């Protein structure tokens, strides 16, 4: 694995700025400049400018010549689009898995129970980042169980948007992670029983709760 010391300056600028956007250190609506980032990373402005262009292409920044770059906030329409895509992809995987032999469902259920254990531990330690990472692992495990590489690739393309959405969702208060855990447990219970309709409905309830938490409606 390549260490940060061997990365090019523009790659370091890109990764650092993107990471700060995704973890909320640079929230939507903030105006940042090439000079600020260059000073923080002890580099010239040229690689930062190239990193900003790349982040603009990814929809994370909006550049304003001679003024800086605006961190693009997650819009309501983007939230709706991401959740719609998630329901389609994850719902399909759950339906497919519920129709699979019981032993196949048991393997996936066991993997999901391991993730739930991690979430419970993270919740007890109030480790928001670990909880969010386990949340992502839970849903990826569901999608992977569908064994459709094209849908998995589509789901992976939503990763950055989901990270920002999840951050906003968890910031709604201490009760939100507990609700997420309970909703995950309900999905696993339906999956274990092989009840596709119940599994999809519980997924829908979970995603609706995410919508309310992120958008406030």
């Amino acid at each position: 694995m390549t260490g940060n010391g061997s990365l090019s300056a523009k790659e370091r600028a890109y990764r650092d700025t993107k990471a700060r956007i995704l973890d909320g250190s640079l929230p939507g609506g903030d105006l940042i400049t090439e000079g600020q980032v260059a000073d923080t990373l002890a580099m010239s402005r040229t690689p930062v400018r190239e990193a900003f262009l790349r982040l603009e292409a990814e929809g994370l920044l909006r550049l304003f010549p001679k003024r800086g770059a605006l961190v693009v906030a997650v819009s309501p329409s983007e939230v709706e689009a991401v959740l719609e895509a998630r329901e389609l992809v994850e719902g399909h995987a759950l339906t497919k898995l519920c129709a699979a032999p019981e032993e196949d469902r048991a393997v996936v259920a066991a993997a999901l129970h391991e993730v739930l254990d991690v979430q419970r531990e993270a919740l007890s330690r109030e480790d928001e980042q670990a909880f969010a990472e386990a949340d992502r692992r839970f849903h990826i495990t569901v999608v992977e169980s569908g064994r459709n590489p094209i849908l998995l690739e589509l789901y992976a393309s939503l990763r950055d948007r989901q990270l920002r959405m999840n951050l906003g969702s968890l910031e709604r208060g201490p009760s939100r992670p507990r609700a997420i855990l309970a909703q995950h447990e309900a999905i696993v219970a339906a999956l274990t029983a092989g009840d596709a309709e119940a599994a999809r409905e519980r997924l829908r309830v979970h995603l609706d709760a995410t919508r309310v938490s992120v958008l406030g409606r």
Side-chain angles (χ1 to χ4, degrees):
M1 183 174 179
T2 302
N4 287 339
S6 61
L7 293 175
S8 67
K10 66 179 180 181
E11 186 66 21
R12 278 202 301 128
Y14 166 76
R15 292 192 183 190
D16 182 81
T17 306
K18 182 172 183 175
R20 292 166 65 199
I21 292 172
L22 295 181
D23 71 12
S25 300
L26 293 174
D30 267 18
L31 188 68
I32 59 177
T33 67
E34 294 172 4
Q36 290 171 338
V37 175
D39 289 345
T40 299
L41 298 177
M43 63 176 61
S44 70
R45 295 188 182 191
T46 300
V48 176
R49 186 174 304 120
E50 294 179 15
F52 277 16
L53 288 170
R54 188 172 168 187
L55 291 167
E56 182 181 43
E58 293 179 11
L60 295 176
L61 291 180
R62 184 175 298 126
L63 304 186
F64 294 94
K66 299 182 180 180
R67 290 180 56 196
L70 181 73
V71 179
V72 177
V74 179
S75 68
S77 61
E78 182 178 1
V79 172
E80 294 288 358
V82 169
L83 291 176
E84 182 179 7
R86 285 187 57 185
E87 184 172 347
L88 288 171
V89 175
E90 294 183 47
H92 172 77
L94 287 170
T95 299
K96 191 173 180 180
L97 188 58
C98 284
E102 184 176 352
E103 55 268 28
D104 291 348
R105 295 202 309 275
V107 170
V108 177
L112 293 174
H113 276 298
E114 289 182 5
V115 178
L116 293 178
D117 287 341
V118 173
Q119 287 195 292
R120 293 187 189 100
E121 174 63 22
L123 191 58
S124 70
R125 291 185 285 107
E126 298 183 352
D127 188 336
E128 185 177 290
Q129 182 176 354
F131 188 92
E133 289 172 355
D135 177 84
R136 176 174 168 268
R137 184 69 249 167
F138 180 93
H139 291 281
I140 288 178
T141 299
V142 169
V143 177
E144 286 176 340
S145 74
R147 298 180 180 178
N148 185 318
I150 294 177
L151 290 181
L152 183 58
E153 183 178 348
L154 169 63
Y155 195 82
S157 73
L158 302 174
R159 177 180 180 272
D160 291 347
R161 292 180 171 88
Q162 290 186 69
L163 283 174
R164 300 180 77 196
M165 284 172 50
N166 288 347
L167 179 69
S169 174
L170 291 173
E171 287 176 344
R172 292 292 181 178
S175 63
R176 177 59 184 152
R178 295 187 183 280
I180 290 173
L181 179 59
Q183 291 156 12
H184 284 178
E185 291 170 339
I187 291 170
V188 176
L191 174 61
T192 301
D195 190 335
E197 184 176 351
R200 288 195 306 271
E201 176 58 28
R202 289 168 185 179
L203 171 67
R204 188 175 301 113
V205 167
H206 178 51
L207 296 179
D208 282 346
T210 299
R211 178 182 291 105
V212 171
S213 185
V214 175
L215 299 177
R217 58 178 172 82

